[in-house]
Amino acid sequence: MRWGVVTFPGSLDDHDALYAIDHVLGQTAIPLWHKERDLHGVDCVVLPGGFSYGDYLRCGALARFAPVMESVAGFARDGGLVFGICNGFQVLCEAGLLPGVLTRNRNLSFVCEYVHVRVESAATAFTRACGPGEILTLPIKHGEGCYVASEATLREIEEEGQVLLRYADAGGRVTEAANPNGSLHNIAGVMNRQRNVFGLMPHPEHAVEKALGGEDGLKLFRSIAASVAAGHTESVASVAPGP
Amino acid sequence: MLAKVYVTLKSGVLDPAGKAIQHSLHSLGFERVTDVRLGKYLEVWLDRGPRAEVEREVDEMCRKLLANGVIEDYRFELQD
Amino acid sequence: MLAKVYVTLKSGVLDPAGKAIQHSLHSLGFERVTDVRLGKYLEVWLDRGPRAEVEREVDEMCRKLLANGVIEDYRFELQD
Amino acid sequence: MDEPQVTAALAAEHGLNEDEYRRIVAAIGRIPTYVELGIFSVMWSEHCSYKSSRRWLRELPTTGPRVLQGPGENAGAMDIGDGLAAVFKIESHNHPSYVEPYQGAATGVGGIMRDVFTMGARPIANLDSLRFGAIDHPRTGYLVHGVVGGIGGYGNCIGVPTVGGDMYFDAGYNENILVNAFTLGIVRADRIFRASATGVGNPVIYVGSKTGRDGIHGASLLASAEFGDGTEHKRPTVQVGDPFTEKLLLEACLELMERDAIVAIQDMGAAGLTSSSVEMAARGETGIRLDLDRVPLREEGMTPYEILLSESQERMLIVAKAGSEDVVREVFAKWDLDAAIIGEVTDDRMIRIVFRGQEVACLPLEPLAEGAPKYERPAAASAEAEARQILNLDHVALPGDYNRALLGLLDSPNIASRQWVYRQYDHLVRGNTVVQPGSDAAVVRVKGTHKALALSVDCNSRYCLLDPYVGAMIAVVESARNVVCAGAVPLGISDCLNFGNPEKPAIMWQFVEAVHGIRDACNALGVPVVSGNVSFYNETEGRAIPPTPTIAMVGLMDDVTRHTTQWFKGEGDVIVLLGRTREELGGSEYLAQQGILTGTPPWIDLQVETHVHAVCTRAIQDGLVRSAHDCSEGGLAVALAECCLSGSVRGELGAVVELEGAIRPDALLFGESQSRIIVSLRRQHLGRLRELAERHETPFTVLGEVRGHRLTIGSLIDLTLKEMRQVWETALPRRLGAA
Ligand SMILES: Nc1ncnc2c1ncn2[C@@H]1O[C@H](COP(=O)(O)OP(=O)(O)O)[C@@H](O)[C@H]1O
Ligand SMILES: [Mg+2]
């Protein structure tokens, strides 16, 4: 399969995503430049971590207007897989491709540390290589990762099973203490209603080698690869397209 | 022309920064403070143009970019 | 009482955020925009008190905490 | 333009004394114009000219088989094999960080990164070395939050991991904090870019942010004069950092460097356009002509004086190959950055500045650069310096409760866990951080090779105050010991010499002693100094900071899989001490906690030190040891506690230890004798380690074993890891509040 990793001005973990995909996963990953609309026929678009446009005004707010985002939005509408990591997650929320918004961490400071997240559903294009309820250890590094959404939206995404990752303790208990940024419902990652766009605050691309903080992140990349191999549409088709 | 844009958090949306400021104000001895909300204040300078048209434009800027409708409200004043 | 506090960068102090916002507004087609400055807007709610005294307090809050005198100016309005 | 009349008095306001002013007039044969005076004042400032330090810096060892670029360029460069070079430098941003902690620290980080990527190197790691006043001083909390926030704010946003640093609190820094920032970059050894303007007629191109009135006389003047009542009006517009623009500048510069379009490139740092153009022309033995009307400006009505002296951030000056102007424009346009041709290289060894068609400055390069004043200032130890060394241990009572004493040390802001600081820094981006903050040295791998680099920055200024010569030596060997404990071989250092007012003999004496200490330690270890920075005038109302010669050490390891960390790895492992513990308490954190600040710092024998390094390095390379930790502040007891606690995420391992020694028990536990490393290893390797130690005449003591969830040291100490961790991990948050 072919992966595309977008580089916005201020993207930082784009190299790391490319490295994880080609060096570790052993698949083809091509960089996508923010000024270009051509997605070069990739099977999955990765929006990487970083500080796109300096994260000025609001994280992800300025990046969402980059030319490439028009194509990404169309790609998503047609059922293409879109994977937003950290800043990429923020961009997807600002662009309205994912529900909710990411706000300043509850403790107001940037946090770089390893956390545990619980896989809420393994029956998706992004988590099929994980076990249901599996605990992944992944690093976070962000100042604005507090997930916020309206009551109605929260209810909907919970009912629709769109919450894929939740901050938890090593034993899988979802507690306040295990919540590093104050996210509502300990939400660490959500998917859209059509189940083809996924964003998360932790950095799977920084957990792909034993020597550097473990390999749990690979499971998410492998899930996507497997879904594409299996023609992921089957996991999309299962729900009627939403509004 | 100058558009003064005020972006505030919707009521009900938590404001940890505001809370932290309130807390510091108390520890500085400003007992009177009961609540603090932190918002943004933008000054957008514009080339002159028909008022109505410019107002429409500024409103569009706010909706598209300056405020995030999920958690923020906005309001603005246009000056010559 | 409500104090509306406006904190802005001193003129001449670089405003990277304002610059980036202006750049985006242009690429969104808002040609009219010539400059953008990003500041803070705070709503400080207070228990009633003699106006003069409260004004003095708010001014002190601004100097001590709300504005960074080295790079920022402030201004406020007090409402009942 | 109506400009002030240039007089000796005006020169004095510019920090030039009468004699210097006379030399200027003599050198150019006339009274300088106002603009020219401005140029001289920054070029002859302590910060740019090193006029008080040069003569001494020449004594430092700066050569060696691996040195590709020593001091004198934007940064130093060393050969690490595989056709690659490590480019690194440390720099101070002390005064700006005291004036505005967040922006001061942020722009300090931005500045040092530019120094490294102008050499063509991709920055892969940052370190920050911080000195604050007493932690309970009213301003300290505000400064710590601002500085750490600024370092994170800039480093995190530009995507270079901050992998380590150090931090001390000492009343000696109450009115004058230190913020020293270090950057390491990697470049192909045959692709190192330098900053000498050659090729008459080549275009001089300005790239990056527009020029505003930021920081006029900032670094140059502020960093060349004491703080005091006068400072208020001297205070320039504070420079605000824009890490986003710097990220674009970084990518654009590295991309352009692939295009064979550049002759020379230099960051516009202190004294901006002036020093960058003068230094480039001087190095190239050419000349430069600048047309200020073409400089991209941010503000209305800026004068030539302001344009030349502005210290606006995120700007670079490039000398391009004639004909490649369009390549430069194209690359910078791709990254949405300004690129303007503002002048050209000439052959007249002059710097000529044109504004509105008029030549507003026309100066020979020689007196500006090489010809700048050089002083051998009087140096003499003060009476206090000698008084400080007097300490009679007989008057120091032994602690009643050693557990309490150890908990007290673990609670010290100078010893407690630094997690409060480094969790605010992205230390993972770019995916090379093999050993993260929390061990003696950080380890970053070099992609495309099996190699890795170990980094540590150190300086115990309490030692330096008691004896600047020994203190500086210890700074060098401790930083070396830290990288050795990680499994690396010391490669080279960058030094940041933070001192008071050099016009005072007592301060100059501290400086000279410290330089000699660094010189002797580097010679003994065979480690060159490839870059550095001098920061004088760290004084407020006449009170100088403790001498602080900060050492940033870079170590090289050939096989990244052979690295080691400081925490214990397995139940049943044997704990061994390499090196000897003496009855030394002078300068220790232990005595400082009792308010005793006199004495002599620990004794240091460079021969012994190198032997200990040899044993540890070999043991790690042969896979004998599973952990190695340097003994520093707090002595053996604290080091053992750190071996138990610092591996938090990686499980909890206690230790049972016996200590013999015919010395005071408090010295045994808390003394800070140098050249000591605690290692832990599987029992079956004990014999081989002992032989190794004997072969290198290194004292070798089996201390005990890794076991349980308590730290037990003879009959003196018995604490659970839980109670130690509680103190050690909360000491900073408790005092500084939420990050
Ligand atoms: N200002 C800082 N920024 C980042 N990391 C820091 C800072 N200060 C200390 N650290 C990290 O905390 C750990 C302990 O620091 P330190 O006590 O100086 O170690 P040592 O005494 O072995 O040199 C090291 O990994 C160091 O890199
Ligand atoms: Mg240290």
Side-chain angles (χ1 to χ4, degrees):
Chain A
M1 86 178 261
R2 277 158 71 82
W3 300 69
V5 177
V6 173
T7 296
F8 296 109
S11 290
L12 305 177
D13 305 79
D14 45 348
H15 307 78
D16 303 325
L18 289 164
Y19 182 88
I21 295 162
D22 61 26
H23 272 67
V24 185
L25 200 62
Q27 297 198 340
T28 314
I30 59 168
L32 301 173
W33 184 240
H34 66 104
K35 289 179 184 174
E36 289 169 12
R37 288 178 171 75
D38 185 354
L39 297 184
H40 301 279
V42 298
D43 304 292
C44 173
V45 173
V46 178
L47 301 188
F51 285 67
S52 55
Y53 297 85
D55 275 353
Y56 292 131
L57 189 61
R58 292 184 313 277
C59 299
L62 305 182
R64 122 186 201 219
F65 293 106
V68 72
M69 283 305 292
E70 287 172 30
S71 318
V72 172
F75 179 75
R77 231 177 290 110
D78 303 341
L81 292 181
V82 179
F83 187 37
I85 302 168
C86 196
N87 191 235
F89 185 13
Q90 294 163 334
V91 174
L92 289 170
C93 289
E94 280 285 341
L97 291 172
L98 285 176
V101 53
L102 293 142
T103 63
R104 194 115 174 251
N105 292 354
R106 188 65 51 83
N107 71 1
L108 299 178
S109 71
F110 187 96
V111 182
C112 178
E113 67 187 11
Y114 285 80
V115 298
H116 302 293
V117 290
R118 191 177 73 192
V119 178
E120 300 296 275
S121 161
T124 77
F126 306 96
T127 52
R128 61 200 294 161
C130 309
E134 181 172 356
I135 307 302
L136 306 179
T137 303
L138 300 171
I140 55 167
K141 46 189 193 80
H142 60 250
E144 309 203 0
C146 176
Y147 185 81
V148 174
S150 70
E151 275 309 318
T153 306
L154 283 171
R155 206 175 314 107
E156 180 184 336
I157 61 176
E158 292 286 3
E159 282 166 3
E160 292 291 330
Q162 292 170 237
V163 177
L164 296 194
L165 298 176
R166 248 184 260 278
Y167 300 108
D169 63 21
R173 283 169 300 274
V174 173
T175 65
E176 191 49 48
N179 187 340
N181 52 28
S183 292
L184 297 177
H185 297 205
N186 282 47
I187 291 171
V190 290
M191 175 174 72
N192 64 342
R193 192 135 180 280
Q194 292 71 11
R195 309 171 74 81
N196 65 314
V197 178
F198 174 45
L200 76 169
M201 286 315 292
H203 286 265
E205 81 282 23
H206 284 291
V208 294
E209 295 172 274
K210 272 213 175 51
L212 281 86
E215 297 179 310
D216 285 3
L218 271 181
K219 297 189 173 140
L220 298 178
F221 288 100
R222 291 222 170 94
S223 298
I224 294 171
S227 305
V228 170
H232 74 89
T233 38
E234 130 261 333
S235 59
V236 178
S238 59
V239 286
Chain B
M1 301 169 98
L2 167 63
K4 295 180 169 181
V5 180
Y6 309 89
V7 178
T8 52
L9 281 173
K10 282 185 159 44
S11 64
V13 176
L14 275 178
D15 179 7
K19 278 274 158 291
I21 294 169
Q22 177 184 354
H23 181 84
S24 314
L25 287 173
H26 280 170
S27 51
L28 283 173
F30 296 104
E31 306 297 345
R32 209 187 288 280
V33 177
T34 57
D35 191 19
V36 175
R37 303 284 285 176
L38 176 61
K40 299 196 190 85
Y41 167 64
L42 295 102
E43 290 178 347
V44 181
W45 300 85
L46 309 125
D47 290 330
R48 329 200 82 289
R51 191 174 187 82
E53 182 183 322
V54 177
E55 269 178 355
R56 235 191 345 275
E57 277 189 29
V58 175
D59 189 69
E60 195 185 341
M61 293 178 203
C62 292
R63 274 184 289 103
K64 273 195 172 162
L65 179 64
L66 303 182
N68 178 328
V70 179
I71 48 168
E72 295 171 329
D73 296 323
Y74 66 88
R75 106 178 171 271
F76 65 89
E77 304 147 9
L78 191 57
Q79 299 179 351
D80 297 279
Chain C
M1 301 168 96
L2 168 62
K4 295 180 169 180
V5 180
Y6 310 88
V7 179
T8 52
L9 281 171
K10 283 186 172 9
S11 72
V13 173
L14 175 69
D15 180 3
K19 205 176 70 189
I21 295 167
Q22 177 187 355
H23 193 269
S24 294
L25 287 172
H26 278 172
S27 51
L28 280 174
F30 296 105
E31 304 297 343
R32 212 187 284 283
V33 177
T34 58
D35 191 18
V36 176
R37 304 280 287 176
L38 177 61
K40 298 197 205 79
Y41 167 65
L42 295 102
E43 290 178 345
V44 181
W45 301 84
L46 309 125
D47 290 331
R48 317 204 90 292
R51 192 176 186 80
E53 181 183 325
V54 177
E55 269 180 354
R56 225 184 305 84
E57 277 190 28
V58 174
D59 189 69
E60 198 184 338
M61 294 179 202
C62 293
R63 276 184 287 102
K64 280 195 174 157
L65 185 75
L66 305 182
N68 173 353
V70 183
I71 51 174
E72 295 172 328
D73 294 325
Y74 66 89
R75 156 182 127 246
F76 66 88
E77 304 147 8
L78 190 57
Q79 301 179 348
D80 297 281
Chain D
M1 269 164 300
D2 49 289
E3 290 179 328
Q5 184 57 38
V6 174
T7 62
L10 185 64
E13 276 178 43
H14 279 69
L16 296 160
N17 65 34
E18 258 176 55
D19 173 57
E20 288 170 337
Y21 179 64
R22 247 184 267 107
R23 286 178 59 171
I24 291 170
V25 176
I28 66 174
R30 58 180 170 82
I31 306 256
T33 66
Y34 181 58
V35 174
E36 291 171 335
L37 179 69
I39 295 174
F40 265 103
S41 74
V42 294
M43 293 312 298
W44 283 19
S45 69
E46 187 65 57
H47 185 88
C48 296
S49 71
Y50 287 79
K51 56 190 167 189
S52 307
S53 56
R54 264 205 199 178
R55 179 241 171 282
W56 301 104
L57 297 180
R58 261 194 247 102
E59 297 189 11
L60 295 173
T62 58
T63 57
R66 287 184 178 274
V67 178
L68 298 175
Q69 177 62 60
E73 276 286 338
N74 286 308
M78 294 195 74
D79 188 342
I80 59 168
D82 296 296
L84 298 175
V87 174
F88 55 93
K89 185 172 194 284
I90 187 168
E91 194 154 73
S92 66
H93 222 221
N94 305 338
H95 289 90
S97 302
Y98 186 76
V99 173
E100 211 307 286
Y102 185 99
Q103 295 299 341
T107 51
V109 173
I112 190 61
M113 280 192 284
R114 285 193 298 280
D115 279 336
V116 167
F117 70 77
T118 47
M119 306 276 298
R122 154 92 49 194
I124 63 163
N126 288 341
L127 303 174
D128 63 325
S129 177
L130 312 177
R131 300 293 180 271
F132 297 104
I135 199 159
D136 52 10
H137 182 278
R139 204 171 146 82
T140 297
Y142 161 77
L143 291 168
V144 175
H145 281 267
V147 166
V148 171
I151 289 166
Y154 207 102
N156 297 346
C157 185
I158 196 177
V160 176
T162 303
V163 298
D166 73 344
M167 174 170 71
Y168 290 84
F169 297 86
D170 182 317
Y173 302 104
N174 279 356
E175 277 84 28
N176 194 310
I177 64 174
L178 301 184
V179 175
N180 294 178
F182 167 96
T183 296
L184 167 77
I186 297 291
V187 61
R188 265 180 50 185
D190 60 354
R191 285 285 197 78
I192 296 175
F193 281 80
R194 295 192 170 73
S196 77
T198 55
V200 175
N202 279 337
V204 175
I205 305 182
Y206 170 118
V207 298
S209 293
K210 293 180 163 47
T211 296
R213 291 191 172 86
D214 320 66
I216 290 172
H217 281 307
S220 47
L221 198 65
L222 270 187
S224 309
E226 285 183 34
F227 254 18
D229 307 332
T231 326
E232 202 52 46
H233 77 271
K234 263 193 212 151
R235 185 172 289 176
T237 325
V238 169
Q239 305 147 318
V240 169
D242 180 2
F244 169 58
T245 296
E246 176 133 320
K247 167 67 176 175
L248 302 182
L249 191 59
L250 161 65
E251 298 302 335
C253 287
L254 294 184
E255 190 172 319
L256 181 60
M257 287 163 171
E258 296 290 312
R259 302 282 297 272
D260 184 42
I262 297 182
V263 173
I265 174 167
Q266 172 152 338
D267 147 52
M268 289 191 228
L273 198 48
T274 301
S275 61
S276 51
S277 50
V278 169
E279 286 170 17
M280 280 189 158
R283 288 201 199 92
E285 299 184 338
T286 50
I288 279 185
R289 184 181 163 290
L290 296 180
D291 181 352
L292 298 188
D293 301 299
R294 305 212 210 137
V295 174
L297 299 180
R298 198 177 80 229
E299 296 179 61
E300 303 284 301
M302 288 184 69
T303 66
Y305 182 95
E306 290 171 326
I307 296 168
L308 282 166
L309 300 193
S310 162
E311 292 183 3
S312 291
Q313 299 291 299
E314 293 91 25
R315 304 179 301 163
M316 295 270 194
L317 202 60
I318 292 174
V319 173
K321 296 188 173 159
S324 51
E325 294 84 350
D326 291 343
V327 178
V328 179
R329 280 206 202 81
E330 171 206 331
V331 171
F332 280 82
K334 172 184 169 187
W335 292 98
D336 305 315
L337 290 170
D338 280 321
I341 299 173
I342 63 167
E344 63 174 3
V345 177
T346 60
D347 62 359
D348 58 5
R349 307 216 172 177
M350 302 283 283
I351 175 102
R352 295 174 184 275
I353 309 292
V354 177
F355 182 68
R356 310 237 167 100
Q358 277 186 22
E359 198 166 71
V360 292
C362 170
L363 296 170
L365 290 169
E366 201 282 333
L368 283 172
E370 274 315 297
K374 293 178 199 59
Y375 299 126
E376 177 152 0
R377 299 192 185 275
S382 66
E384 300 95 311
E386 277 142 38
R388 273 193 207 102
Q389 300 203 324
I390 298 161
L391 166 67
N392 181 348
L393 280 183
D394 304 342
H395 299 160
V396 179
L398 291 172
D401 177 344
Y402 287 88
N403 285 330
R404 264 255 237 64
L406 176 53
L407 289 174
L409 284 167
L410 292 174
D411 190 48
S412 159
N414 293 334
I415 288 178
S417 167
R418 267 68 184 121
Q419 201 204 14
W420 184 91
V421 175
Y422 58 71
R423 80 197 284 268
Q424 298 185 57
Y425 300 154
D426 179 348
H427 41 260
L428 299 175
V429 65
R430 299 205 74 80
N432 298 318
T433 314
V434 177
V435 176
Q436 299 174 16
S439 196
D440 279 324
V443 177
V444 288
R445 70 178 172 187
V446 181
K447 283 211 181 89
T449 75
H450 297 295
K451 296 194 167 88
L453 295 163
L455 310 172
S456 177
V457 59
D458 293 277
C459 178
N460 182 318
S461 60
R462 197 179 289 137
Y463 298 167
C464 295
L465 186 62
L466 297 178
D467 185 334
Y469 175 74
V470 173
M473 273 205 288
I474 290 177
V476 174
V477 298
E478 186 189 341
S479 61
R481 210 181 302 133
N482 284 333
V483 303
V484 163
C485 286
V489 175
L491 184 68
I493 69 169
S494 184
D495 63 326
C496 194
L497 308 177
N498 307 274
F499 288 80
N501 179 349
E503 295 158 43
K504 299 178 181 173
I507 300 291
M508 203 57 211
W509 172 80
Q510 293 177 332
F511 180 79
V512 174
E513 288 290 298
V515 170
H516 288 159
I518 295 169
R519 176 197 63 195
D520 295 350
C522 284
N523 284 329
L525 299 177
V527 170
V529 180
V530 297
S531 62
N533 167 247
V534 177
S535 170
F536 278 129
Y537 297 98
N538 289 287
E539 299 201 3
T540 302
E541 266 92 50
R543 266 169 286 110
I545 58 161
T548 315
T550 303
I551 303 298
M553 175 71 67
V554 176
L556 175 64
M557 70 181 80
D558 289 323
D559 178 0
V560 61
T561 63
R562 281 281 183 235
H563 73 268
T564 308
T565 47
Q566 72 181 33
W567 43 88
F568 292 142
K569 301 297 187 302
E571 189 90 9
D573 286 357
V574 188
I575 303 166
V576 169
L577 174 67
L578 303 174
R580 178 175 292 106
T581 305
R582 295 189 175 65
E583 187 163 286
E584 299 175 302
L585 284 170
S588 66
E589 185 69 27
Y590 168 72
L591 286 191
Q593 284 202 331
Q594 306 176 36
I596 303 170
L597 298 167
T598 60
T600 51
W603 177 82
I604 173 87
D605 178 331
L606 295 167
Q607 185 77 42
V608 174
E609 182 77 36
T610 50
H611 285 159
V612 172
H613 293 190
V615 174
C616 188
T617 302
R618 183 105 219 110
I620 292 171
Q621 282 169 358
D622 293 354
L624 298 183
V625 302
R626 302 179 77 191
S627 76
H629 186 27
D630 144 52
C631 289
S632 58
E633 290 79 15
L636 208 47
V638 164
L640 284 165
E642 289 171 346
C643 292
C644 299
L645 299 174
S646 51
S648 54
V649 239
R650 310 154 188 86
E652 299 213 332
L653 292 166
V656 178
V657 166
E658 284 303 328
L659 290 183
E660 300 103 29
I663 61 174
R664 294 170 57 115
D666 53 356
L668 197 57
L669 289 169
F670 310 127
E672 298 176 6
S673 290
Q674 292 299 299
S675 317
R676 294 184 301 167
I677 295 175
I678 297 173
V679 298
S680 69
L681 62 160
R682 292 210 169 84
R683 197 163 284 281
Q684 69 260 32
H685 293 138
L686 197 53
R688 284 177 64 193
L689 184 63
R690 183 179 275 111
E691 287 164 27
L692 202 55
E694 278 160 7
R695 208 176 325 133
H696 292 276
E697 299 142 24
T698 294
F700 173 102
T701 320
V702 174
L703 295 180
E705 162 175 296
V706 178
R707 191 198 309 156
H709 299 294
R710 313 175 70 83
L711 174 62
T712 310
I713 305 180
S715 57
L716 299 176
I717 301 250
D718 183 35
L719 291 163
T720 66
L721 300 193
K722 205 161 168 305
E723 57 194 318
M724 290 196 296
R725 178 180 302 284
Q726 165 59 23
V727 170
W728 181 72
E729 277 182 355
T730 62
L732 289 183
R734 238 186 303 120
R735 294 177 172 91
L736 297 170

